[in-house]
Amino acid sequence: MAEFSPTKKKRRKTRRGSMDHPYMSSSSGSLIKELQCSICLDVFTDPVSTSCGHNFCKTCLNKCWDNSQTCNCPYCKETFKHRPDLKINTTLRELVDHCKKHEVLKKAEVLCDVCEERKLKALKSCLVCQSSYCETHLETHLRVAGLKKHKLINPVSNLEDYICQKHERPLELFCRDDQTIVCVSCTDGDHKNHNTVSLEETQLMIQDTQQMIQDRIKKIQDVKHSAEVRKINTEREKAARVELFTDLIRSIERCQTELLEMMEEQQKAAEKQEEELIEELEQEITELKMRNTELEQLSHTEDHLHLLQIYSSLCSSRNTRNWSEISVKTDESLETLRRALTKLQDSLQEKLTQTVSTELKRIQQYAVDVTLDPDTAHPDLILSDDGKQVRDGDIRQKLPDKPERFDRYSNVLGKEGFSSGRFYFEVQVKGKTDWTLGVARESIDRKGKITLTPSNGYWTVWLRNENEYWACAGPRVSLCVRVKPQRVGVFVDYEEGLVSFYDVESSSHLYSFTDQSFTGKLYPFFSPFLNAGDKNSTPLIITPVKHNK
């Protein structure tokens, strides 16, 4: 057993309190991979950093830029207006040198300390014995109970770096308070009551930290990519909006031109009519003056009967118009304006429909699968087996009075709640005279009297009495609905504080709650309302989203 006694070696002093410890070398392999230049795919030589946070060999990056007309990051493609003045990242260079040194130490062949004639390659090193053993001499450590407790590690040539210089015991712990590697005996002395963890845990911490770094690097890339996509989409949307408003301006200008031309034509026609009337009047005045002269000449006769006969003859020989029935129109332009504005309104409505249709295509990509939650349904409600339909029943069901169940009004929530992002769903309301749809906060009061307002956690619209549409905005807002909706779409953007309602089939916007502040989860909200005989017995149906074409 003598060959297993710790070999007494001259130990070099190490700097306790530094993280530069051989135990850390097990992570240096993965770290080396992170210290590779993405251009030459080798470990950094004179590493430099760009303003976007990526690192390269100085020579590699200079060559890359020398062969290009623009200076951009080879990794993320960010473009720099001016060629950066590259400075060596000294901290990164020291880290690279450190890892290279440990790689060399790791690759160096360690020989068995027990072999006498021909030294065999060591399989493990023992921190307690402070010796390295080949496969043959390691056998006792694997068999003898007392030696099984010894700390074995992969063979290293610098075992002294793994031993506490003060207590001659393996360095197995890391003191978080002093950022120092210590042995068990240290925790009874200078590091008593300090926060210590095993080196294995430290390794996990390092790996977790490295993973966090990689996750954040990837997140930066994702954010930059999202920003780039958003920029492209914004430019596309701006172009579309400019085109839309240009078309609207042209429509208004065309309408204005047509209106003015029509008014001009009407003015000319009216002037022509007035001239003709004046000419006719002047002609009749001339004829009447002539008649008057003749009558004055005849008035001197004493034969009155003959005078009347002559007067009757003069009157019958000339046809005069009844001018009391003739009038000149002065307000015709008002009717012309009304027709022009109606035409413009139709054009604007067409553009608005096209815009809403495009908007629906965009938001329908956020469609989610909504299923009704029976635990929240009022006892009067009948839910389909697949949880996609709900109607008011004639008989109240005997159901457990759960805290989440509505007990006074015929309401039900969806099973799925959403606390971030965007979501969209559609509900068929065809054939119904009354209904309520929208979303509700998870924390709403579901017992007793309920007032549907945003301040109470409800964002809803409803139909009452077949054709009265209202947004429950507190106070309610009457909605102008051109066509009776058959299918209603509900869209929520949690971060934007937006809840919008659409008539899907006519591609029209019904109402939007904007600038809302959401807290907690939002759930789809449904109320088929009460049956009125045969009226309103049709169920609300959650339908699959059919993307508009």
Side-chain angles (χ1 to χ4, degrees), residues 190-291:
D190 297 339
H191 299 274
K192 189 174 184 179
N193 298 325
H194 285 194
N195 184 6
T196 59
V197 294
S198 68
L199 292 181
E200 287 78 5
E201 291 182 68
T202 306
Q203 288 293 84
L204 293 175
M205 289 164 53
I206 293 174
Q207 292 173 9
D208 289 344
T209 303
Q210 291 174 354
Q211 185 60 48
M212 289 170 65
I213 293 172
Q214 294 307 310
D215 290 344
R216 280 150 182 76
I217 291 174
K218 185 178 183 303
K219 191 64 177 179
I220 290 174
Q221 295 169 357
D222 292 343
V223 170
K224 288 184 177 180
H225 175 70
S226 298
E228 193 65 30
V229 171
R230 184 182 182 87
K231 183 178 180 181
I232 294 172
N233 290 339
T234 299
E235 292 301 321
R236 188 185 298 119
E237 288 292 321
K238 284 168 62 178
R241 297 296 181 267
V242 169
E243 182 180 358
L244 171 64
F245 280 98
T246 300
D247 288 346
L248 290 176
I249 291 171
R250 287 173 181 168
S251 297
I252 294 172
E253 290 175 344
R254 185 167 54 251
C255 181
Q256 180 186 21
T257 301
E258 292 174 355
L259 175 62
L260 294 178
E261 289 177 351
M262 188 180 299
M263 293 177 67
E264 190 67 27
E265 290 174 358
Q266 290 175 348
Q267 176 65 21
K268 289 179 181 179
E271 289 176 354
K272 183 179 179 181
Q273 182 187 21
E274 290 163 359
E275 289 174 359
E276 291 174 350
L277 289 174
I278 290 172
E279 184 179 349
E280 187 176 349
L281 283 167
E282 288 177 343
Q283 185 177 350
E284 287 195 10
I285 290 172
T286 301
E287 292 177 355
L288 288 170
K289 284 181 178 180
M290 292 174 59
R291 186 189 306 176

Side-chain angles (χ1 to χ4, degrees), residues 35-45 55-57 60-61:
L35 299 177
Q36 291 178 345
C37 172
S38 60
I39 299 176
C40 67
L41 303 180
D42 202 353
V43 179
F44 292 125
T45 300
N55 304 302
F56 308 92
C57 298
C60 293
L61 189 55

Side-chain angles (χ1 to χ4, degrees), residues 4 122 445 462:
F4 296 106
D445 187 3
W462 72 25

Side-chain angles (χ1 to χ4, degrees), residues 267-494:
Q267 176 65 21
K268 289 179 181 179
E271 289 176 354
K272 183 179 179 181
Q273 182 187 21
E274 290 163 359
E275 289 174 359
E276 291 174 350
L277 289 174
I278 290 172
E279 184 179 349
E280 187 176 349
L281 283 167
E282 288 177 343
Q283 185 177 350
E284 287 195 10
I285 290 172
T286 301
E287 292 177 355
L288 288 170
K289 284 181 178 180
M290 292 174 59
R291 186 189 306 176
N292 186 59
T293 300
E294 292 176 2
L295 289 173
E296 284 182 352
Q297 292 174 354
L298 293 172
S299 64
H300 298 293
T301 181
E302 294 180 358
D303 190 348
H304 298 292
L305 178 61
H306 179 63
L307 176 62
L308 290 173
Q309 291 174 343
I310 294 174
Y311 178 75
S312 299
S313 176
L314 289 173
C315 290
S316 61
S317 64
R318 295 177 176 83
N319 294 322
T320 59
R321 184 182 294 192
N322 183 4
W323 289 99
S324 63
E325 298 177 356
I326 306 300
S327 62
V328 179
K329 295 181 180 180
T330 60
D331 58 351
E332 194 171 304
S333 60
L334 295 177
E335 176 62 22
T336 303
L337 177 60
R338 186 192 64 76
R339 289 198 300 268
L341 291 178
T342 300
K343 184 178 180 180
L344 178 60
Q345 183 181 22
D346 292 340
S347 177
L348 291 174
Q349 186 60 49
E350 181 182 355
K351 295 293 183 184
L352 181 59
T353 299
Q354 293 174 359
T355 302
V356 174
S357 179
T358 302
E359 184 177 341
L360 268 174
K361 290 179 184 178
R362 180 177 59 83
I363 65 177
Q364 282 176 334
Q365 65 179 306
Y366 301 105
V368 294
D369 183 20
V370 175
T371 305
L372 300 171
D373 184 358
D375 290 339
T376 66
H378 185 275
D380 285 353
L381 296 181
I382 306 297
L383 275 59
S384 61
D385 292 338
D386 62 359
K388 299 295 184 181
Q389 301 185 26
V390 57
R391 63 180 177 84
D392 183 54
D394 297 326
I395 301 175
R396 175 165 295 197
Q397 305 172 83
K398 293 182 179 180
L399 299 173
D401 185 18
K402 297 183 177 181
E404 59 268 30
R405 189 182 305 283
F406 292 96
D407 68 350
R408 182 167 179 176
Y409 297 103
S410 301
N411 304 330
V412 61
L413 299 179
K415 280 185 178 180
E416 301 80 9
F418 304 88
S419 57
S420 65
R422 301 167 179 172
F423 63 95
Y424 173 82
F425 61 95
E426 292 179 358
V427 183
Q428 180 177 304
V429 296
K430 183 178 180 180
K432 295 194 66 62
T433 61
D434 301 87
W435 50 258
T436 306
L437 292 174
V439 293
R441 197 165 48 220
E442 183 177 23
S443 59
I444 53 173
D445 187 3
R446 310 179 193 194
K447 307 298 182 182
K449 185 177 180 180
I450 295 173
T451 303
L452 301 181
T453 62
S455 59
N456 290 333
Y458 296 89
W459 292 266
T460 59
V461 297
W462 72 25
L463 166 66
R464 294 292 183 268
N465 303 320
E466 294 193 43
N467 56 11
E468 297 176 8
Y469 294 88
W470 299 83
C472 303
R476 292 194 298 269
V477 177
S478 178
L479 305 182
C480 180
V481 178
R482 294 168 48 246
V483 181
K484 187 178 180 67
Q486 305 297 306
R487 193 161 83 249
V488 175
V490 183
F491 173 68
V492 176
D493 188 326
Y494 196 98

